Amino acid sequence: MANTFNRRSWIKSTAIMAGAATFFSGALNKISAMPRSIQQRVLSDSFADKFAVLRAQPTMKARLSANENPFGPSKAAKKAMKKALDTSYQYPFMHMRELTSKIAAHEGIQGGNIMMDAGSSPILLAASLFYAKNGGEIISADPSYNDLPADAEKHGAKWIKTALTSDYKIDLDAMEAKINDKTALIYICNPNNPTATILDTTKLAAFCERVSKKVPVFIDEAYIDYLPDPKAASMIDMVKKGSNVIVARTFSKLYGFAGLRCGYIVALPETVRSLSAYSTGMMSLTAPTIAAATIAYQETEFLKDALEKTSASKEYLYSVLKAEGYDYIPSSANFVMFPIKITGNKFAQEMNKRGVSIRTWKFSEKEWCRVSIGRMDEMKAFAEAFKDIS
């Protein structure tokens, strides 16, 4: 009887999984057929990154669609993960405290200023739920990373978008002009995704100091580790000064933890307490991830090496684009955006056929490609495919 039950259960679960796979495959095909402008309204950026990977060929020469760092995690982080497996039957509360203390000491803040979670995605979701609860307005740039405002809109908030400046940077003046008594939050991704542009630090700090007296400002610093001096460019100092600013950080980019999931925010203690009610926090992080992050945090030599490799690949990409007669937006992150001469859907399909996944956008009356920076062999695969269709 038990064996019969197990077989039936297995057959049933297999059928469910097959049905789910068929459904998801159909959804991907349906989304693929949509115009880019509609895709961008339908898909959050995190899902769009997944979509770009999933619709690619089974065997890819270059996966350059999700802004991942192919040079990590470090050897020390991998070693720490393996060691942590032996005690992974235990809840890693004490290890989480060690990681939080390490971050707090480095940033010169208190543990009460930090909220950890499994990457920045659940933190953005927590913020979207909290600030959408009274049906307020969320102001963000367009285009920019859209998970927080898109989720907030799904839960009753109104999403107010501001266009970029002529040099494709976030327009702080336009954002400030949109503030009214309904504004619940301003969201700024700096460096911005997908344009990889960076705001002037002095101007951004002045904006945060001034505006946060009226409305909280959320600064997403996912890519800040790619800057020459991340600490100088960060808005964490605004939190230390008592401003109502939330700074989000993630290990997913330069540290190479995209598949490990570790992130945090730095904010005023009362903000941390409010957002914690919408987050699972430390219970979402695995023991191996915490061990790896504790070892990897501020691992100077590894970070330097990853930056140098990223820079070399980026310079190679610049040279390829120039040789083919393409302009590009100078990048302050691990991806580059440039205008293309055919529709985004067609470009992505043709690159996929050649074993290269990328992402596309449409804004400022142009079609754009965003290509993540990969290993040099991946960038050469991109160059070969790109030259074939450019």
Side-chain angles (χ1 to χ4, degrees):
M1 179 65 74
N3 288 337
T4 303
F5 174 78
N6 288 340
R7 283 196 298 272
R8 286 176 180 169
S9 298
W10 179 83
I11 291 169
K12 183 178 179 182
S13 63
T14 302
I16 291 170
M17 287 188 288
T22 302
F23 172 81
F24 194 63
S25 176
L28 291 179
N29 291 334
K30 191 177 291 185
I31 292 168
S32 291
M34 294 178 181
R36 288 299 301 142
S37 58
I38 296 177
Q39 282 185 25
Q40 286 170 226
R41 290 200 298 271
V42 171
L43 301 181
S44 68
D45 277 323
S46 62
F47 186 86
D49 283 346
K50 297 173 194 172
F51 169 63
V53 170
L54 289 170
R55 76 171 177 178
Q57 299 296 324
T59 303
M60 298 299 292
K61 298 176 184 177
R63 176 166 146 164
L64 306 176
S65 52
N67 295 348
E68 297 152 334
N69 171 20
F71 310 116
S74 69
K75 290 181 180 179
K78 292 175 185 177
K79 184 177 179 180
M81 278 190 282
K82 290 178 182 177
K83 185 178 180 181
L85 290 174
D86 291 338
T87 54
S88 288
Y89 62 90
Q90 298 174 338
Y91 292 113
F93 301 133
M94 297 302 294
H95 302 298
M96 174 63 86
R97 181 184 295 178
E98 182 184 357
L99 174 58
T100 304
S101 297
K102 203 167 189 175
I103 294 170
H106 178 77
E107 300 293 354
I109 54 178
Q110 300 299 313
N113 292 116
I114 300 173
M115 184 179 85
M116 304 288 303
D117 213 316
S120 58
S121 295
I123 293 172
L124 296 175
L125 177 59
S128 73
L129 293 171
F130 178 72
Y131 291 106
K133 64 182 181 179
N134 295 319
E137 296 181 352
I138 309 293
I139 300 174
S140 76
D142 182 34
S144 188
Y145 193 68
N146 68 17
D147 274 20
L148 191 158
D151 282 332
E153 188 175 50
K154 291 174 188 174
H155 291 90
K158 185 177 180 181
W159 184 1
I160 306 297
K161 302 176 184 179
T162 60
L164 302 179
T165 62
S166 59
D167 54 354
Y168 306 109
K169 294 186 178 182
I170 291 173
D171 192 333
L172 295 178
D173 293 334
M175 283 188 161
E176 190 167 3
K178 294 288 186 181
I179 296 173
N180 58 42
D181 58 1
K182 297 178 182 178
T183 305
L185 182 73
I186 293 179
Y187 172 78
I188 297 171
C189 184
N190 188 53
N192 189 37
N193 179 12
T195 58
T197 51
I198 187 75
L199 287 166
D200 177 81
T201 302
T202 301
K203 185 175 180 180
L204 179 58
F207 173 89
C208 288
E209 184 174 10
R210 183 173 64 253
V211 170
S212 65
K213 294 174 183 176
K214 309 171 191 175
V215 60
V217 181
F218 192 114
I219 309 291
D220 189 340
E221 295 184 346
Y223 299 96
I224 201 161
D225 292 312
Y226 287 97
L227 299 181
D229 190 350
K231 202 162 187 177
S234 176
M235 290 298 108
I236 287 179
D237 275 349
M238 300 309 303
V239 179
K240 290 158 72 171
K241 291 176 181 178
S243 295
N244 193 9
V245 173
I246 305 160
V247 178
R249 293 285 188 80
T250 181
F251 284 73
S252 293
K253 304 307 174 183
L254 187 59
Y255 288 89
F257 276 42
L260 291 172
R261 315 309 299 136
C262 184
Y264 61 94
I265 58 165
V266 174
L268 298 176
E270 54 267 34
T271 302
V272 169
R273 287 192 292 271
S274 295
L275 295 184
S276 293
Y278 295 83
S279 167
T280 54
M282 69 173 65
M283 295 302 292
S284 294
L285 280 89
T286 68
T289 292
I290 294 170
T294 304
I295 290 295
Y297 187 67
Q298 299 300 312
E299 192 179 7
T300 308
E301 287 306 310
F302 167 75
L303 297 178
K304 180 182 176 183
D305 181 62
L307 277 171
E308 288 175 352
K309 290 174 179 174
T310 300
S311 179
S313 288
K314 191 189 298 185
E315 290 299 323
Y316 174 79
L317 174 61
Y318 287 164
S319 70
V320 169
L321 295 175
K322 288 176 184 176
E324 293 298 308
Y326 282 71
D327 294 324
Y328 57 85
I329 302 174
S331 169
S332 295
N334 66 330
F335 52 93
V336 175
M337 195 152 217
F338 63 94
I340 51 180
K341 300 173 183 177
I342 58 177
T343 66
N345 271 341
K346 181 67 174 175
F347 186 83
Q349 288 167 7
E350 291 300 320
M351 293 296 283
N352 271 331
K353 288 178 186 176
R354 292 160 176 80
V356 179
S357 68
I358 47 82
R359 273 200 62 192
T360 59
W361 267 260
K362 185 173 183 178
F363 64 93
S364 297
E365 299 181 347
K366 295 180 183 179
E367 299 274 355
W368 298 82
C369 168
R370 188 198 71 185
V371 55
S372 305
I373 302 301
R375 301 183 308 270
M376 191 58 76
D377 64 292
E378 292 176 304
M379 303 318 295
K380 289 180 178 179
F382 169 86
E384 182 180 353
F386 179 64
K387 290 174 184 177
D388 199 26
I389 65 174
S390 66

